[in-house]
Amino acid sequence: MTPKEPSMSKPRLMSSVAALAVAWGCQGAPEPATSERTPEATVVISLKPEVQAAIGLQTAVVARRTLPQALDALGDVAARPEAEAVVHAPLDGVLAEVLARVGDRVRAGQPLALIRSAELGRAQTTYLKALGESRLTQRERQRQQRLFADGLASRRERDEALQRDEAARVALTQAHEELRVHGLTEAAITTLGQRGRVEPFQPLRSPLTGTVTRRHALRGARVGPSDAEPLFALADLSVVRVETDIPERSLLTVQAGQQASIQVEALQGGPITGRVVRVSPVLDLATHTGKAAIDVPNPAGRLRPGMSARVHLLTGERATLAVPVTALQQEGERTFVFTALADGTFRETPIQVDPRAGDWVPVREGLTEGERVVTHGAFDLQSEAHKASFGGE
């Protein structure tokens, strides 16, 4: 059974000196608090009961509690690799118009730029000629089939018409595929056939709905499929990824599906909830850490790649010795508490702790179950400890 925590009410610390003066003045000036160092150089302080009452000193029992196990780490916001895309020029030409800028939100299929291409014009011309030839040979094939059925044409004439139609259909298919290689959609090819004239401007269309993250397109520049640099990079940022390094000792406690709390200093408001989607199966040999990827909903687009984030991971529960967070004292890199001994004596006890869990701090080393620690009034005890360290009374 968890021991009951004492009441949290106490006098304000700023009035503790006045309270001590009253206690001494009204009760025949009791002996002041004394402090000394033990052979282990640990400060031990003695306080009379009336002085403890005057400063509102309270204690709590060190007990084993079931606390949520958490992990805090730093991370960076990035786009999800599976939601990124780049756009290259599908054919040689000149950028006649650039329609999208970095930061623009675009829809899938929306034009990003226009390329004027002589190569495309030639491919369209070839397609239109093949389309016309195919229409002619198809009509001739149908005519020869009717004449042959009526006995007005020979088998050879019918077969030759079939061969010419088949050859025209093959040429049309090749011309059609050439246009597809150049980036024309089926709808654009159909429109070309209906229009019947060459249109040498080819739109570069977005492959996804998202945001333009990079642009290497300049109007008037010569471009082609052999260019190493893509003209545009895009990302769907409706969900972003936070990547963080997990220490080796904690890596096995992090699993896909666990909930994470993300705090971004650049944004106003509270933390954002995300979920672990992947944990790296290998460690970085230099840092002995593994990567964890956390996906975070971003419907308003406030989270942007490159932002820094603080990650709080809930990795389960564990039973551990714990003390109230108010018991902890910090001095430089030292963490300690004051443990209550017999006859109003309090000892400065160094401890090692894990990250806090709400109002409690798990204790890894330094305390045993059943000990009592000071939760309120430790400031006055620490002042006495400072006097002892400088040889004061």
Side-chain angles (χ1 to χ4, degrees):
M1 180 176 178
T2 303
K4 187 175 180 181
E5 187 181 351
S7 170
M8 302 300 284
S9 62
K10 67 180 183 67
R12 296 175 63 88
L13 290 178
M14 66 174 58
S15 63
S16 61
V17 175
L20 286 169
V22 171
W24 292 334
C26 297
Q27 300 183 26
E31 295 182 11
T34 62
S35 60
E36 60 179 345
R37 286 194 177 269
T38 66
E40 294 81 11
T42 300
V43 175
V44 176
I45 302 167
S46 296
L47 289 181
K48 295 292 185 180
E50 59 269 24
V51 179
Q52 296 179 36
I55 65 174
L57 191 141
Q58 298 178 22
T59 62
V61 176
V62 179
R64 189 167 294 273
R65 293 178 175 272
T66 300
L67 300 178
Q69 195 168 1
L71 175 68
D72 293 312
L74 298 177
D76 296 305
V77 179
R80 295 173 298 149
E82 62 270 25
E84 293 184 291
V86 294
V87 177
H88 286 269
L91 71 171
D92 293 320
V94 175
L95 282 178
E97 197 72 39
V98 178
L99 306 173
R101 300 170 298 178
V102 172
D104 285 353
R105 295 178 64 86
V106 296
R107 302 180 308 277
Q110 180 176 329
L112 305 175
L114 293 177
I115 297 179
R116 185 177 66 251
S117 172
E119 180 184 346
L120 176 61
R122 288 191 294 270
Q124 289 180 342
T125 299
T126 300
Y127 174 79
L128 290 175
K129 289 175 63 176
L131 180 62
E133 183 68 20
S134 178
R135 289 170 176 171
L136 286 174
T137 58
Q138 183 179 15
R139 287 196 296 269
E140 179 62 16
R141 175 180 61 84
Q142 292 170 348
R143 190 178 76 86
Q144 288 295 333
Q145 286 178 328
R146 288 194 303 269
L147 291 174
F148 177 76
D150 294 338
L152 301 175
S154 66
R155 184 181 300 275
R156 180 178 61 83
E157 289 174 321
R158 186 201 64 175
D159 290 346
E160 288 176 350
L162 288 174
Q163 291 173 0
R164 287 193 297 270
D165 184 46
E166 184 63 29
R169 290 174 63 184
V170 170
L172 179 61
T173 299
Q174 291 175 342
H176 179 278
E177 290 305 310
E178 185 70 17
L179 292 179
R180 293 288 293 168
V181 169
H182 287 331
L184 266 68
T185 63
E186 289 293 338
I189 295 173
T190 300
T191 300
L192 172 64
Q194 294 170 345
R195 187 177 57 226
R197 68 174 186 275
V198 171
E199 178 59 67
F201 292 95
Q202 165 66 6
L204 286 179
R205 300 184 183 276
S206 173
L208 53 77
T209 297
T211 302
V212 179
T213 56
R214 294 199 315 274
R215 189 185 82 170
H216 190 65
L218 296 175
R219 186 163 62 176
R222 290 191 174 277
V223 295
S226 61
D227 295 341
E229 185 77 21
L231 296 176
F232 295 92
L234 304 102
D236 177 3
L237 300 179
S238 60
V239 176
V240 295
R241 181 157 294 172
V242 175
E243 293 190 339
T244 183
D245 293 320
I246 305 299
E248 179 179 358
R249 66 177 181 274
S250 303
L251 197 60
L252 293 180
T253 67
V254 181
Q255 299 177 0
Q258 286 175 336
Q259 189 174 338
S261 178
I262 309 297
Q263 184 75 53
V264 178
E265 293 183 3
L267 302 180
Q268 300 294 327
I272 306 169
T273 300
R275 195 165 296 279
V276 177
V277 294
R278 182 177 55 82
V279 180
S280 174
V282 296
L283 296 179
D284 186 313
L285 293 179
T287 61
H288 288 276
T289 59
K291 290 284 186 184
I294 302 163
D295 280 359
V296 185
N298 187 36
R302 300 174 67 221
L303 294 170
R304 301 180 182 182
M307 284 182 168
S308 297
R310 294 184 178 275
V311 179
H312 183 74
L313 275 168
L314 298 177
T315 57
E317 293 183 337
R318 62 168 175 164
T320 179
L321 290 182
V323 296
V325 68
T326 54
L328 257 63
Q329 302 297 310
Q330 197 77 33
E331 192 173 70
E333 297 183 356
R334 289 194 317 122
T335 301
F336 60 93
V337 294
F338 287 101
T339 52
L341 307 178
D343 302 325
T345 302
F346 303 90
R347 180 180 63 203
E348 183 183 290
T349 305
I351 61 174
Q352 295 183 19
V353 298
D354 289 328
R356 64 181 289 181
D359 294 332
W360 299 90
V361 179
V363 178
R364 192 165 63 245
E365 187 177 323
L367 294 175
T368 57
E369 190 170 4
E371 290 187 283
R372 299 193 72 89
V373 295
V374 175
T375 58
H376 292 76
F379 178 81
D380 298 271
L381 295 178
Q382 192 171 358
S383 298
E384 292 297 332
H386 284 161
K387 290 180 183 180
S389 64
F390 287 103
E393 294 183 357

